Amino acid sequence: MKKSIGNSFRIQLIFSVFGVFILLVLSTAYILYSTIKMQDISDNSFLKERYIKSIQEALTSYQEPLLDYLSTRSSNALAKLLIDSQLLRNKIPLHISIPDDPTELQEKEVYSLIRSYLDMADTVIDQKRGRNITGYISLYEEMTDLLKYINAQIETIGTERFRGQMDNYGLFINDSRNLQLLNLLFIIFVSLFAILMLFHAVEKMTEPMILLSSMATEISAGKFDMEDIKMSSVYEIDHVVEAFNRMKNDIRKYIEEIRWQENIKQEYMQERMRNLKMEELVRRMEIYTLQAQMNPHFLFNTLNTGMQLAIVEGADRTGEYMEQLSQLFRHNIRNKESVVPLRHEIEGIKIYFYILKVRFPKNMDLTLDYSEDLLDTCRVPVSILQPLVENCVVHAFKNQEGQGAIIVRAQRGKKRLILSVSDNGCGMKGDLVEKLLHPLPLEESSSRVMGLENVIQRLFFFYPDDPEVISIQTEEGKGTQIVIRIDTEREPCTVY
Amino acid sequence: MKFLIRIGIGLFALLALVTFSFSLTLVRNLSVRGVPRAKEQLEYHFSLYLPDNRNSFFNEIIKGAQKAAKERHAVVSLHSIDPSRYELEMASYTGVDGIVVCPYLDDDIARRQLEKIRSNKIPLVLINHNIPSDQPWPYIGINNYNVGRKYGAAVNRIATGPLKLAVVYSDKAPGMFAERELIEIGITDSLSGKLIGPIMGFKTSKNPLDAEELIYKLFRTNPQINTLVFTDSSDTIAAVQVLIDMNLVGRVQIVGFGNDPSIIEYIRKGIIAESIVIKADLIGYEAIKALTELKATGYTSASVDTGLEIIDGNSK
């Protein structure tokens, strides 16, 4: 908001206070005006009486110098007479339009009578000067009668007017009471209006401050997601509000940045922890591998010696078995890669199946089902099939009689390479499957990891965001199928 | 709170405005009450001089005069002819445009005052009673001889035998009393041989109840009277009460004066035979009309007979 005279806090405060003050002053002035007007009206009702009475008094006082002059012919009396006569003539209205009110008609007649009286007085003076004694004496008598009549008429007019005023007085009193009551109500309403206006102005100025205070409390409680305080029409307050809003938004931004950094730090820590876990897992793998590679040369030499001995003694089948066993050891030890072509795994399984067939020639059916084109196009983590088959041999047919079957399949799904190892053994318990698929953290698990568990952990390690990479379908007494689904479009995660 | 304050501001502003406008209107009304309203421009101011007693007859004259004045943009002020009040004496100094006078009984005093008015060149019209003069004033009213003949004709219609007739005059109708001879000549001419004695004349004062006492005395002293003729409506009404009280209804016939509702009711009941009605409003009307003519042209009719009518049981 731009600063202008109109939206200044000081000017608004001055306008509010002075506005109320002026309103009250104007209201009081009106009440004073109406009271004065009422007094004027009351005063004016007696104006005509006072006027006609003043004429009556002037006329009465006119008699004395007239008689004095007629008696003494005093020039002083004559001078006074002439002055009084002129004053009286000036006092009487020259022309009165004909009224229709009886009292005003009577008043009009009175003015005419007075003029006639003054004319007669002029005639009397002339007759006195002309020594017309009989004339001025009789005329003076007539003047006296006329004066009496004039006085009587003035009294009648006064009485009539008074009677009229008596009638009007009741109305006047009633109206003046109503007027005073209305004025009282008016000043009450104006005062209440002015007070509320003042309240309104004060509230307009203090509301943003209260909001500021309330928001400051909220911010101190850690809530930064409130809406900005709206601008008022007061420049100074808006300045504070704007600064406060800016401060609130800045603090919120800083806090969000800190939180973001904290999150990154936590993610980093989690990543680091995961790496540590991986290192642990690798370490275990290495141990497992080392255990598996324990004294390999001794085993190779021994197996070669055994194979030569079998050839020398003519035991060809034993020699062949020894050779296959030797190839299996070599196969397991030779490759140091963590991810290998599917062919490597399938070749290993073929050798392993030969040995198993020798071990279990009658009661074990071993089936290997795969497509040749998958062998070189798909890559899989090393040693994931043999431990599963070994797991079947060791656990699936325990305490079970009859023909056992193990089927290893490799096939292509929509986006995945699907490897499955199934048997018709005793199956697994549900809680065991759950435990295998949701292994304990490394720090809580024992360092001794079995083959199946090892395969599951490695698969989850290579495909951390893919919970469907391995699944186990099993039913007690009917068998187990372990399915590995490897996303062929995605490289396994090998970085730690 | 904010909403309440806004409602309060609006409400009190409205109430303050309403009370302020009412107060202002009241002040204006108070101011205007004393100020005369703009009226039509009146051309003439006439004076009407009448006896002090304002019975229906004179009230009708005033009404007629005021009606004529209104029609001619004039106004009429009312005065008394009572000599003790000097009003007619001072009439020539009042500055009026014309004067209507119903003269009182003393013709000489009246003549002197009327001459004084004439000397001041103020138009003058006489009503109800004429004052003889070398230069007669215009007269508006009735011919009392004709009035007497009308009375006689009315009595003749109701008479069943020889008539002993009394006429009751009144100060309330000075015009008729002043010309009583003419009235009685008119009655006599109309009744010719039916009267068994001279017409007796009596007079009541201005007191409207005076007739009661008079009638009581009349029948005690003159029980042979069988027909009464009145020249004033108040006297007529008062006399009827006496006849009822003395059980003389039917034996004594009354010819009344005026058309007051009571008199009409008595006619309907047959207590009063007939009543003479003078068109008083026409007298007042014609008087103002004559004055206006005098002011405008300087001339008017010397005499206007406004006529009279008779009310009987057959009248509507």
Side-chain angles (χ1 to χ4, degrees):
Chain A
M1 178 184 271
K2 285 183 180 177
K3 186 177 184 178
S4 68
I5 293 175
N7 61 21
S8 162
F9 181 83
R10 192 179 301 168
I11 295 295
Q12 285 199 12
L13 195 66
I14 288 169
F15 273 160
S16 302
V17 172
F18 270 87
V20 168
F21 175 71
I22 287 167
L23 196 63
L24 290 175
V25 166
L26 286 176
S27 311
T28 314
Y30 169 71
I31 286 167
L32 184 67
Y33 159 78
S34 62
T35 309
I36 290 171
K37 190 80 184 167
M38 218 156 55
Q39 287 171 350
D40 284 349
I41 291 162
S42 173
D43 190 46
N44 283 343
S45 65
F46 296 102
L47 201 65
K48 286 182 178 175
E49 277 72 10
R50 282 203 296 271
Y51 173 64
I52 203 161
K53 277 283 173 194
S54 73
I55 290 174
Q56 189 182 23
E57 283 164 11
L59 204 58
T60 308
S61 64
Y62 182 75
Q63 280 292 93
E64 191 187 337
L66 178 65
L67 188 58
D68 189 18
Y69 176 71
L70 293 177
S71 310
T72 62
R73 283 176 64 189
S74 156
S75 55
N76 288 340
L78 180 62
K80 188 172 187 311
L81 206 57
L82 292 173
I83 291 166
D84 286 355
S85 173
Q86 196 57 46
L87 286 174
L88 258 170
R89 280 182 194 278
N90 290 341
K91 214 167 185 179
I92 295 166
L94 268 179
H95 174 74
I96 301 173
S97 57
I98 301 168
D100 62 355
D101 177 66
T103 311
E104 287 178 22
L105 267 177
Q106 206 171 359
E107 191 177 345
K108 177 180 169 286
E109 287 178 5
V110 164
Y111 293 140
S112 186
L113 289 168
I114 293 169
R115 264 194 295 276
S116 300
Y117 178 83
L118 294 173
D119 292 343
M120 286 163 80
D122 291 345
T123 311
V124 155
I125 292 165
D126 288 344
Q127 286 179 348
K128 178 69 181 177
R129 280 175 175 166
R131 305 283 196 280
N132 183 355
I133 298 168
T134 318
Y136 76 70
I137 288 174
S138 72
L139 197 57
Y140 182 75
E141 272 181 23
E142 195 174 348
M143 283 176 68
T144 310
D145 290 342
L146 181 56
L147 185 64
K148 275 185 199 165
Y149 180 66
I150 289 169
N151 284 333
Q153 289 295 97
I154 289 173
E155 291 301 328
T156 310
I157 290 168
T159 309
E160 285 298 321
R161 286 237 167 92
F162 182 70
R163 199 174 291 157
Q165 278 163 2
M166 285 292 283
D167 293 341
N168 285 333
Y169 183 71
L171 288 173
F172 177 77
I173 289 293
N174 193 35
D175 281 352
S176 58
R177 271 185 199 154
N178 287 342
L179 183 64
Q180 283 171 353
L181 183 66
L182 281 171
N183 285 349
L184 175 69
L185 288 174
F186 173 59
I187 196 78
I188 288 171
F189 292 145
V190 164
S191 303
L192 289 171
F193 171 74
I195 288 167
L196 288 177
M197 282 297 282
L198 204 60
F199 268 141
H200 181 63
V202 168
E203 194 180 279
K204 198 171 145 192
M205 286 180 253
T206 56
E207 191 186 16
M209 306 304 286
I210 293 166
L211 274 174
L212 274 176
S213 154
S214 159
M215 193 168 273
T217 311
E218 295 284 318
I219 287 172
S220 68
K223 294 180 184 171
F224 293 94
D225 53 349
M226 289 173 296
E227 281 187 14
D228 285 0
I229 301 172
K230 286 178 185 170
M231 295 287 178
S232 69
S233 54
V234 182
Y235 172 77
E236 289 86 344
I237 292 173
D238 283 352
H239 203 67
V240 176
V241 166
E242 196 180 351
F244 188 86
N245 283 338
R246 198 165 54 236
M247 181 194 78
K248 183 198 76 174
N249 291 330
D250 287 351
I251 291 174
R252 187 172 59 194
K253 263 188 213 168
Y254 293 143
I255 287 178
E256 278 173 4
E257 201 168 321
I258 289 167
R259 276 183 186 160
W260 179 73
Q261 286 175 355
E262 189 65 28
N263 285 341
I264 288 175
K265 197 175 172 182
Q266 276 184 0
E267 280 175 15
Y268 171 74
M269 292 300 287
Q270 281 174 356
E271 191 67 24
R272 198 174 163 193
M273 187 62 74
R274 192 163 163 268
N275 289 344
L276 285 172
K277 285 176 188 174
M278 284 301 123
E279 282 173 14
E280 175 67 18
L281 196 63
V282 168
R283 188 177 60 78
R284 287 185 190 183
M285 282 289 293
E286 283 172 350
I287 292 167
Y288 181 75
T289 308
L290 285 172
Q291 282 175 345
Q293 291 176 351
M294 189 172 57
N295 208 0
H297 294 289
F298 170 74
L299 278 174
F300 286 149
N301 294 334
T302 306
L303 283 173
N304 279 332
T305 306
M307 187 180 71
Q308 287 170 6
L309 186 61
I311 291 169
V312 170
E313 289 178 353
D316 295 336
R317 200 164 166 258
T318 304
E320 187 185 4
Y321 176 80
M322 294 297 280
E323 186 184 356
Q324 289 292 326
L325 189 62
S326 171
Q327 281 181 8
L328 181 64
F329 281 134
R330 195 173 292 116
H331 180 270
N332 285 345
I333 292 164
R334 189 175 54 197
N335 203 317
K336 298 286 182 185
E337 297 291 323
S338 56
V339 180
V340 294
L342 181 61
R343 182 179 292 281
H344 178 82
E345 279 297 290
I346 293 297
E347 282 174 356
I349 285 296
K350 278 180 186 172
I351 298 167
Y352 190 58
F353 269 17
Y354 173 81
I355 292 166
L356 287 179
K357 279 177 183 171
V358 174
R359 279 179 67 192
F360 310 103
K362 291 181 179 173
N363 55 354
M364 182 78 74
D365 287 337
L366 296 167
T367 310
L368 183 58
D369 178 17
Y370 62 92
S371 172
E372 186 63 31
D373 60 324
L374 292 175
L375 298 182
D376 294 319
T377 53
C378 297
R379 290 171 65 81
V380 295
V382 71
S383 300
I384 54 171
L385 289 177
Q386 188 191 325
L388 300 183
V389 176
E390 190 178 341
N391 186 66
C392 293
V393 173
V394 175
H395 299 288
F397 308 110
K398 208 183 273 179
N399 304 323
Q400 194 174 1
E401 292 179 358
Q403 192 70 21
I406 296 172
I407 303 167
V408 176
R409 278 201 181 89
Q411 54 190 346
R412 186 183 289 277
K414 283 182 182 176
K415 285 184 179 178
R416 292 173 183 262
L417 170 68
I418 299 167
L419 305 172
S420 65
V421 177
S422 49
D423 63 68
N424 60 345
C426 60
M428 290 185 200
K429 288 183 179 176
D431 54 344
L432 178 62
V433 173
E434 194 65 20
K435 201 185 273 182
L436 286 168
L437 290 177
H438 298 92
L440 289 170
L442 284 172
E443 59 271 15
E444 293 174 25
S445 67
S446 67
S447 58
R448 190 169 174 276
V449 180
M450 298 305 290
L452 175 58
E453 199 179 353
N454 180 281
V455 170
I456 291 170
Q457 283 188 0
R458 278 192 295 126
L459 284 171
F460 283 145
F461 168 72
F462 284 119
Y463 304 98
D465 301 326
D466 189 0
E468 293 177 4
V469 70
I470 185 164
S471 63
I472 300 172
Q473 289 109 38
T474 181
E475 195 173 347
E476 281 189 67
K478 289 190 175 177
T480 303
Q481 183 183 29
I482 299 167
V483 181
I484 296 167
R485 297 180 182 83
I486 291 169
D487 190 348
T488 54
E489 294 177 357
R490 186 175 162 191
E491 285 296 314
C493 176
T494 55
V495 180
Y496 49 84
Chain B
M1 183 68 181
K2 205 171 179 179
F3 181 65
L4 283 177
I5 286 176
R6 280 185 182 168
I7 285 180
I9 286 170
L11 180 72
F12 288 123
L14 189 70
L15 287 172
L17 270 177
V18 168
T19 48
F20 176 68
S21 55
F22 272 119
S23 171
L24 213 58
T25 311
L26 209 53
V27 170
R28 189 180 157 278
N29 289 346
L30 275 168
S31 308
V32 167
R33 189 178 291 161
V35 178
R37 284 167 294 173
K39 294 169 192 167
E40 61 168 331
Q41 188 70 32
L42 297 172
E43 291 179 30
Y44 302 120
H45 173 198
F46 300 128
S47 292
L48 179 57
Y49 288 81
L50 295 172
D52 283 343
N53 59 318
R54 293 287 158 79
N55 55 24
S56 61
F57 178 73
F58 292 114
N59 285 336
E60 286 292 312
I61 288 177
I62 292 167
K63 209 183 280 178
Q66 285 174 335
K67 185 185 171 196
K70 196 172 181 185
E71 286 173 5
R72 287 161 179 75
H73 305 293
V75 67
V76 176
S77 58
L78 303 175
H79 294 274
S80 169
I81 55 167
D82 189 345
S84 64
R85 294 175 64 176
Y86 284 100
E87 292 198 26
L88 189 56
E89 187 75 38
M90 301 299 166
S92 50
Y93 303 129
T94 53
V96 293
D97 298 307
I99 295 170
V100 178
V101 180
C102 177
Y104 40 85
L105 301 177
D106 192 334
D107 284 2
D108 291 335
I109 297 172
R111 191 177 296 109
R112 185 182 61 77
Q113 290 170 336
L114 297 178
E115 288 294 349
K116 189 177 170 184
I117 292 167
R118 176 152 46 203
S119 68
N120 281 293
K121 295 189 171 107
I122 299 171
L124 175 67
V125 170
L126 300 183
I127 57 168
N128 210 31
H129 169 50
N130 208 347
I131 302 286
S133 171
D134 297 339
Q135 292 176 285
W137 292 278
Y139 172 73
I140 315 289
I142 46 169
N143 182 323
N144 278 318
Y145 174 73
N146 286 342
V147 173
R149 285 184 65 83
K150 289 276 183 185
Y151 272 126
V155 172
N156 205 15
R157 280 195 292 274
I158 58 173
T160 53
L163 293 167
K164 183 65 181 172
L165 190 141
V167 180
V168 180
Y169 300 102
S170 175
D171 283 341
K172 296 183 276 292
M176 294 180 91
F177 179 66
E179 294 182 356
R180 56 191 176 277
E181 293 87 1
L182 284 175
I183 292 172
E184 286 171 16
I185 291 168
I187 294 171
T188 308
D189 287 354
S190 197
L191 291 173
S192 61
K194 284 193 178 175
L195 291 168
I196 57 170
I199 294 171
M200 298 173 76
F202 301 93
K203 188 168 82 98
T204 61
S205 67
K206 289 178 181 174
N207 187 336
L209 303 174
D210 192 34
E212 283 193 45
E213 191 182 356
L214 177 81
I215 301 299
Y216 269 114
K217 282 182 186 170
L218 188 67
F219 282 110
R220 283 199 196 103
T221 53
N222 299 287
Q224 71 279 17
I225 291 173
N226 58 9
T227 307
L228 286 172
V229 171
F230 291 92
T231 58
D232 179 72
S233 58
S234 303
D235 288 352
T236 308
I237 294 164
V240 170
Q241 285 301 316
V242 176
L243 288 190
I244 293 167
D245 292 348
M246 294 180 78
N247 202 19
L248 292 172
V249 176
R251 196 182 76 74
V252 176
Q253 296 296 327
I254 292 177
V255 176
F257 182 91
N259 59 351
D260 289 17
S262 306
I263 292 172
I264 289 169
E265 180 64 18
Y266 287 139
I267 290 172
R268 196 182 62 77
K269 288 178 178 173
I271 301 170
I272 296 174
E274 297 188 6
S275 182
I276 302 291
V277 177
I278 294 173
K279 296 170 184 172
D281 59 333
L282 193 59
I283 294 173
Y285 187 90
E286 288 294 332
I288 297 299
K289 187 181 164 192
L291 276 182
T292 317
E293 285 171 358
L294 277 172
K295 280 295 287 183
T297 64
Y299 299 99
T300 188
S301 303
S303 177
V304 176
D305 187 352
T306 52
L308 48 81
E309 60 179 330
I310 295 171
I311 300 173
D312 59 14
N314 297 323
S315 301
K316 288 183 180 176

